[in-house]
Amino acid sequence: MRSGPLVLDRVALVGVLNATPDSFSDGGRYLDPARAAAAAEEMAGDGATMLDLGAESTRPGARPVPAEEESRRLLPVLRAVRAAVRLPISVDTTKAVVARQALAEGADLLNDVSAGRFDPAMLPLCAERGVPIVLMHMQGTPVTMQVDPRYGDVVAEVAAFLEERAHAALAVGVAPDAIVLDPGIGFGKTVAHNCALLARLDLVASLGYPVLVGVSRKGFIGELLGGRATGERLHGTAAAVALAVARGARLVRVHDVGAMRDVVRVAEAVAGA
Ligand code: HH2
């Protein structure tokens, strides 16, 4: 990254900040740049390795946001967060035009939940600018993905998809050490699919790229706990984060940075023993 290499000898804590009115977990909270900057400072103090800023919700059923609207939400928040903390900042977007503006405003890497499929200019932009990118698996689109997700072998299919997307990135000139893979927990998956992916995350890790996992407060945790509300999923999130780390996750995308720092430090010590 422009700020130097992100060394993953320890598991990285990626703090989530959504500049959206409608995110399932923190919608409406960080549309205001000053509030977002204060939250970023708190996450930095809690031990975040980097931050992930998004301005388009990808929760199940969410409608796409036009690029102008996404930029209008994102850029003031990004400027405020950039001025507030020195941590690397990734931007969660599928649109190259938004990504290009974000890189000009000091973003360090990109997080594309479509793995470069929604906008063909995304991977070439990463190659041109020499920035890392997270390539995530999703079945369908946010509007339809939870309607009736189906797989033959979810773990093998997700791993094959991610390998193909990594090759697509390499083919346009993205550097091998600028690629992060993500199984896309909750993106076109049932509870059983999500559990299988976490249980066999080692297969995704064996592709040879660092793996990022986003389980924080997600719906499958609520379902496993009998319909638990979003704000009541901290301990369920901790279990999923610990197991993801044990199976090879090198980055975890979380809302509760301070709590998950403790979970990660203990899980990685046990996993590495
Ligand atoms: N999950 C969400 C959004 N972006 N990016 C990656 N790489 N991996 C994930 O698992 C992931 C992601 C959904 O969570 P959140 O940002 O909290 O909600 P919303 O999409 O409603 O903004």
Side-chain angles (χ1 to χ4, degrees), residues 223-238:
E223 284 189 52
L224 286 168
L225 299 176
R228 194 72 65 79
T230 312
E232 308 289 316
R233 298 175 186 167
L234 184 68
H235 298 98
T237 296

Side-chain angles (χ1 to χ4, degrees), residues 6-272:
L6 180 63
V7 180
L8 296 172
D9 54 348
R10 298 185 89 186
V11 173
L13 285 142
V14 182
V16 182
L17 272 174
N18 286 310
T20 57
D22 58 342
S23 286
F24 83 97
S25 50
D26 60 358
R29 220 181 287 171
Y30 306 124
L31 270 170
D32 172 41
R35 284 184 79 178
E41 280 171 355
E42 192 178 332
M43 286 183 187
D46 284 345
T49 316
M50 55 184 261
L51 302 176
D52 185 40
L53 262 56
E56 176 180 52
S57 174
T58 47
R59 73 180 195 289
R63 304 244 150 228
V65 174
E68 304 72 50
E69 171 65 10
E70 195 180 332
S71 296
R72 197 182 60 74
R73 294 175 185 171
L74 176 71
L75 297 179
V77 169
L78 173 58
R79 278 182 210 116
V81 171
R82 179 70 294 164
V85 297
R86 294 174 58 91
L87 296 179
I89 299 174
S90 83
V91 169
D92 187 346
T93 185
T94 60
K95 302 184 190 78
V97 58
V98 175
R100 191 177 282 281
Q101 291 169 335
L103 293 173
E105 294 288 351
D108 298 278
L109 65 158
L110 301 173
N111 172 23
D112 183 348
V113 297
S114 82
R117 293 175 302 136
F118 290 179
D119 186 340
M122 198 65 155
L123 298 178
L125 173 66
C126 286
E128 173 200 320
R129 300 295 306 272
V131 294
I133 184 164
V134 180
L135 303 172
M136 196 197 80
H137 175 272
M138 165 167 36
Q139 187 179 87
T141 67
V143 177
T144 59
M145 65 190 183
Q146 290 306 110
V147 175
D148 183 22
R150 281 169 194 263
Y151 301 84
D153 177 338
V154 64
V155 183
E157 286 172 41
V158 167
F161 169 91
L162 292 173
E163 190 169 32
E164 185 275 318
R165 295 318 297 160
H167 284 147
L170 295 171
V172 298
V174 176
D177 66 356
I179 295 173
V180 174
L181 302 181
D182 181 341
I185 298 298
F187 285 82
K189 282 131 191 146
T190 62
V191 172
H193 296 144
N194 291 317
C195 289
L197 281 165
L198 289 172
R200 291 296 325 281
L201 196 68
D202 53 310
L203 189 72
V204 178
S206 74
L207 296 173
Y209 300 94
V211 174
L212 181 149
V213 170
V215 291
S216 189
R217 303 180 183 170
K218 282 196 175 161
F220 81 104
I221 294 172
E223 284 189 52
L224 286 168
L225 299 176
R228 194 72 65 79
T230 312
E232 308 289 316
R233 298 175 186 167
L234 184 68
H235 298 98
T237 296
V241 164
L243 287 163
V245 169
R247 300 285 199 275
R250 299 307 294 168
L251 307 97
V252 291
R253 184 181 180 277
V254 295
H255 301 88
D256 305 286
V257 174
M260 293 310 137
R261 179 199 55 212
D262 290 359
V263 170
V264 162
R265 294 286 90 94
V266 173
E268 69 184 344
V270 174

